[in-house]
Amino acid sequence: MQSAQTTFANLRKDFPILQRIVRDNKTLVYLDNASTTQKPNQVIDAITDYYRNHNANIHRAVYALAEEATELYESTRDKIANFIHISNREEIIFVRGTTEAINLVAYAWGRNHIQKDDIIVTTEYEHHSNIVPWQLLTQEKGAKLVYIGMDDNGELILDDLDKYLATGKVKLVTFSLMSNVLGTITDAEKIISKCKEHGVLTLVDGAQAVPHMPVNIEKLGCDFFAFSGHKMLGPTGIGVLWVRKSVLETMNPFHGGGDMIREVHKYETTWNDLPYKFEAGTPNIADVIGLGTAIDYLTKLGMENIREHEIELTKYAIEKLSQVKGLTIYGTKDISKRGGVISFNFSDVHPHDVAQIIDEEGIAVRSGHHCAQVLMERLNVAATSRASFYIYNTKEEVDSLITALTKVARIFKL
Ligand SMILES: *Cc1c(COP(=O)(O)O)cnc(C)c1O
């Protein structure tokens, strides 16, 4: 048995892009994993293998290739069920990503469950994907969208939730399990149990959590759960929406056509069984297969080990960054309450300038509002720089970031 330490040290060779030379002969230091992660050979090969050897449309034809493609596609559904701990594979719907998953809920659930004066609760640290679909829905219905506030530690103020629940008008509470800007891990079990006491449904945006820590949906007890493949070593354009069956059965279709149909007549159509009722048209077969391989890869590493690896890196990075004069780190310093996402500002240097200068050293960090402008307003900043880690990142890369930041300090005479 290899120790977790050696496993993590060895896995960089699986990622061809990490050998890339960028800019002026610099080795790539990729620290933008909250945006998307790099892909290992295993995932790249699974996709090309599908196109080279198994390509066919799924579910209908009886010939060999079609059976193989269907088997590969459907086996990913089982892998997902195991990975996020749910017992019913019919509750798993393939979508393009978290954004589409949340829009699907807003449309196919929201349009026939939300009425005038109903309340939908979200939080101040949500990604735009967990705000805008609810704005569209509440505006259409004359309903109301309200926000759970955030304290200066980057944690949610749950008294706000109690206040909203007491109105008796809340129909849905929706929140991310891990903030993509602050890394805050939400106290989901507490929120969900409060909601359950009031018979209120909950949606969890798992886009940042699922790639970085063990997630057990059965234990969480939410009603909707969304995540994206591309933030967990998988390809772009594929993601998952899980919906509790009793809720899924109350939902109308999202898109019409193809696989979602049982019978079509001139003026009426009957729907296919779950989950196919929600998978209209030829799906993204290749990338579903790629996602299945990504899940194999993560499972082999162990989500507990991944979380531990990131805790160690994050702790190290926060220690080092805290020593940089003039640098402000946002969010809690309590490592047990945050994932490997660190947003910061460096004196009054604009984050785009920070990103551009350290890019010359081959370091990729994100700068901007990170699709969370409500949070930027709350923090009273226009933008931040954000370094975010994954399984292949190392302490040496954190050191490279720190060295590059001293160059920023030199240029701006900080
Ligand atoms: C990335 C992200 C999203 C959006 O995911 P897409 O893959 O772009 O659809 C939503 N919520 C959070 C917390 C994210 O990090």
Side-chain angles (χ1 to χ4, degrees):
M1 265 284 285
Q2 283 182 317
S3 75
Q5 213 85 35
T6 38
T7 312
F8 282 93
N10 289 338
L11 60 74
R12 287 179 69 88
K13 66 176 186 334
D14 292 336
F15 294 80
I17 212 167
L18 298 180
Q19 321 304 322
R20 263 294 308 273
I21 300 298
V22 289
R23 297 301 176 202
D24 187 17
N25 208 20
K26 299 292 190 311
T27 308
L28 173 68
V29 174
Y30 186 76
L31 300 178
D32 192 19
N33 294 286
S35 292
T36 198
T37 60
Q38 299 303 343
K39 322 303 175 198
N41 283 321
Q42 287 86 336
V43 169
I44 299 166
D45 292 348
I47 295 166
T48 55
D49 175 63
Y50 164 72
Y51 282 126
R52 281 179 196 281
N53 297 308
H54 309 287
N55 178 54
N57 212 328
I58 54 168
H59 291 149
R60 277 151 214 275
V62 294
Y63 53 85
L65 287 186
E67 274 183 13
E68 288 165 19
T70 303
E71 160 61 24
L72 286 166
Y73 178 86
E74 288 299 333
S75 70
T76 297
R77 215 186 296 273
D78 297 318
K79 289 174 188 179
I80 288 166
N82 285 328
F83 192 65
I84 54 177
H85 297 92
I86 52 167
S87 49
N88 192 348
R89 70 193 303 284
E90 296 172 6
E91 298 171 331
I92 294 168
I93 300 161
F94 288 118
V95 290
R96 280 192 296 150
T98 306
T99 304
E100 189 177 63
I102 297 173
N103 277 277
L104 192 160
V105 175
Y107 189 93
W109 175 82
R111 287 182 125 212
N112 62 359
H113 286 85
I114 296 298
Q115 289 165 355
K116 193 171 176 311
D117 298 330
D118 284 345
I119 294 176
I120 292 176
V121 180
T122 186
T123 89
E124 281 186 337
Y125 62 49
E126 295 311 306
H127 190 282
H128 292 162
S129 296
N130 202 15
I131 293 177
V132 181
W134 308 117
Q135 288 178 344
L136 292 171
L137 177 66
T138 51
Q139 280 160 16
E140 179 183 322
K141 297 290 184 179
K144 219 166 130 187
L145 179 64
V146 298
Y147 291 81
I148 299 174
M150 186 192 78
D151 67 21
D152 291 337
N153 251 342
E155 291 178 44
L156 296 179
I157 302 169
L158 294 190
D159 288 351
D160 289 349
L161 175 63
D162 295 334
K163 198 178 66 194
Y164 297 133
L165 288 173
T167 63
K169 291 184 174 170
V170 177
K171 288 285 155 30
L172 179 76
V173 174
T174 180
F175 60 92
S176 61
L177 192 46
M178 187 191 290
S179 156
N180 67 311
V181 180
L182 303 172
T184 311
I185 298 172
T186 309
D187 191 350
E189 290 188 31
K190 197 177 217 168
I191 293 177
I192 292 165
S193 79
K194 281 174 188 283
C195 290
K196 276 190 170 158
E197 282 170 27
H198 290 79
V200 170
L201 299 187
T202 44
L203 185 155
V204 175
D205 171 351
Q208 289 300 331
V210 171
H212 300 281
M213 60 194 238
V215 170
N216 185 328
I217 290 186
E218 228 148 56
K219 213 169 124 220
L220 271 180
C222 57
D223 300 287
F224 306 95
F225 192 98
F227 61 98
S228 298
H230 70 98
K231 293 182 179 180
M232 50 188 287
L233 308 181
T236 50
I238 189 66
V240 171
L241 170 66
W242 169 85
V243 184
R244 182 180 302 288
K245 192 173 178 193
S246 56
V247 179
L248 199 52
E249 284 171 340
T250 71
M251 286 166 57
N252 288 331
F254 182 37
H255 295 147
D259 249 3
M260 52 83 72
I261 287 153
R262 185 182 313 283
E263 273 180 42
V264 181
H265 304 284
K266 250 185 179 167
Y267 302 108
E268 62 188 311
T269 295
T270 51
W271 314 132
N272 199 348
D273 295 332
L274 297 176
Y276 308 108
K277 177 180 167 185
F278 294 96
E279 291 182 2
T282 300
N284 188 351
I285 304 164
D287 293 324
V288 165
I289 294 166
L291 174 59
T293 310
I295 289 174
D296 291 341
Y297 193 99
L298 294 173
T299 305
K300 206 168 143 208
L301 269 180
M303 292 310 296
E304 292 282 357
N305 295 332
I306 291 171
R307 173 77 181 126
E308 233 166 82
H309 171 79
E310 289 182 17
I311 285 177
E312 206 175 303
L313 266 184
T314 308
K315 207 163 117 187
Y316 182 74
I318 288 181
E319 263 168 36
K320 290 276 173 175
L321 287 166
S322 302
Q323 290 161 16
V324 178
K325 210 177 98 222
L327 193 135
T328 309
I329 300 173
Y330 300 99
T332 177
K333 299 260 161 73
D334 181 348
I335 302 290
S336 70
K337 287 185 182 168
R338 72 183 292 161
V341 182
I342 304 175
S343 273
F344 59 91
N345 264 313
F346 200 7
S347 194
D348 55 0
V349 183
H350 195 282
H352 290 321
D353 292 333
V354 173
Q356 207 163 10
I357 292 166
I358 69 177
D359 170 60
E360 288 165 15
E361 307 303 311
I363 300 171
V365 300
R366 181 77 181 271
S367 59
H369 57 60
H370 318 292
C371 299
Q373 286 186 304
V374 170
L375 175 60
M376 294 297 117
E377 275 173 24
R378 169 64 184 81
L379 294 173
N380 206 13
V381 296
T384 70
S385 300
R386 181 186 68 185
S388 52
F389 307 123
Y390 208 28
I391 54 175
Y392 34 68
N393 290 123
T394 63
K395 286 184 179 166
E396 289 71 30
E397 288 179 314
V398 173
D399 293 339
S400 303
L401 171 65
I402 302 293
T403 308
L405 287 172
T406 58
K407 188 175 161 192
V408 176
R410 208 163 54 237
I411 290 171
F412 283 89
K413 302 193 168 39
L414 299 180

